[in-house]
Each structure stands twice: as C-alpha cells, then as structure tokens.
Amino acid sequence: MRVWVAIWVGSTAITRAIAAWIARGVTLKLIIIIGVAGFVKGLPWTTNIVLALVVGWLLTAIALGLLAPAAEGQPDPSDEAAAGPPIPTREELTAALHKVAAPHAHITAVAEHLGTSTERVREGLDGAGIPVSGGVRMKGRKAAVSPGVKKDDFPPLSSPDQETTQEGVVAGALTSNNNSNNTDEQGPREGMSIIQDDTNPRFWHVLTRSRS
C-alpha cells in the first residue's frame, strides 16, 4: 500500500516539474518534445525505449514518494480550501437582503455582497428559515429572474436604538409613578398608573383613574 501511495505522490511531483519546465517556454519545449518523440518512433527499438522510460518513471516516483516528508496529523490545505467560507448568520443575511433588494434579492447578489458562495448563502437561508423562491425579479442584474428571496419574506431589520429608547421611556414613566406614590395622600386619586403584565414582564399597561 505504501508503494502505491509513493507512486502517486512521486508521479504528482514529476508531473508538476515537467509542467513547470514547459511553462518557461511553451512553444520551444513542445517543439523539442514532438521532435524527440518523432525521432524515437522512427528507431527500430522504440518499444524498448518506451519500456525503459516507464520503468524509470516508476522508480523515480517511488523514490520521491518515499523520501517525501510525512504529514500525518497535519491539516491538508486542500481539505481546508474545500471546506469553504463560513455560513452567514441570520443577522448578516437579513442586512444583506435589505441592502441589495431591488425590490427582491437574488441569491447571487447576496453572495456577492457578503463575499461568499451561493452554496453558503443557501445553507444560511435554510438554517435561518428564510424562504427561497425558484425565480424572483431583481433590477440591475444580468439575469433579471433568478432564485432568490421575495421582499415579503425578508426578516425585519433589528433596531437596537429604537428598543433602547422605548425601554428608557418606560423606565422614566415607572420612576415618575413611584415618586408620586411616596406621598401622604391616601385613597384613590385622579391620574395614571403603569403596571407590569403578569404574563409577559416585558410589557406594561397604562391605567387611568378618576377621582371618586
């Protein structure tokens, strides 16, 4: 088994060396190769020469393969390249969809915007539960109709600033109400109260009271 691996590794090295040698002067090198091949073909012992070349190739490949440094336990760069870029998150996809929309968004346009592949975008959309349509229309693209996401299926953009503002308003109202309650006035009075929802503590109810 080791010999076969050595032949494969050594043959790869020989092939790369030959390709590099030809690349330094393609026209001249091809003329030389064709000329030598034609000369050898015209000789009476062509078969013997070919067999000698084959044996020499195998012996050289085995030697190179056995002398090649072992790389066991180390990641193969080709495997890392095959893994590809990471799958975009739901937030990244949402922002990209709204950014490139015209009015819908092609998967190819989203991939270009995120600098990733269409396969990764599809995986991200599937994982995020964002529907993909077989063909949607988008302006400014070479192909007007292509697989993508319809505008109605875009997830809404999150607005942290707006949420912070709303929480600040509720907190201010609660503080004002608590200060008003710390008085000597007894019994119901006219005004407004804010109470927390028992089912969902994130919501508050505004109650109005009139003087009885």
Side-chain angles (χ1 to χ4, degrees), residues 127-139:
I130 302 175
V132 176
S133 299
V136 298
R137 188 171 297 277
M138 183 177 175
K139 299 177 182 178

Side-chain angles (χ1 to χ4, degrees), residues 61-189:
I62 293 173
L64 292 175
L66 294 177
L67 294 175
E72 296 181 2
Q74 298 181 1
D76 189 348
S78 61
D79 293 339
E80 294 181 358
I87 299 175
T89 63
R90 180 183 177 86
E91 291 72 18
E92 292 173 340
L93 291 171
T94 300
L97 288 170
H98 285 274
K99 183 69 175 180
V100 305
H104 312 296
H106 290 172
I107 291 179
T108 54
V110 176
E112 292 171 5
H113 179 75
L114 294 176
T116 185
S117 63
T118 56
E119 291 78 9
R120 284 294 186 260
V121 172
R122 282 183 177 274
E123 292 178 18
L125 292 171
D126 292 340
I130 302 175
V132 176
S133 299
V136 298
R137 188 171 297 277
M138 183 177 175
K139 299 177 182 178
R141 304 290 296 177
K142 292 181 179 180
V145 179
S146 180
V149 181
K150 295 182 179 179
K151 185 173 183 178
D152 293 340
D153 294 327
F154 290 4
L157 287 170
S158 60
S159 53
D161 296 338
Q162 182 178 359
E163 293 178 0
T164 302
T165 303
Q166 293 176 348
E167 291 177 359
V169 171
V170 173
L174 288 174
T175 303
S176 175
N177 183 65
N178 290 336
N179 292 337
S180 300
N181 289 338
N182 294 330
T183 63
D184 295 334
E185 182 179 353
Q186 302 295 329
R189 61 184 180 84

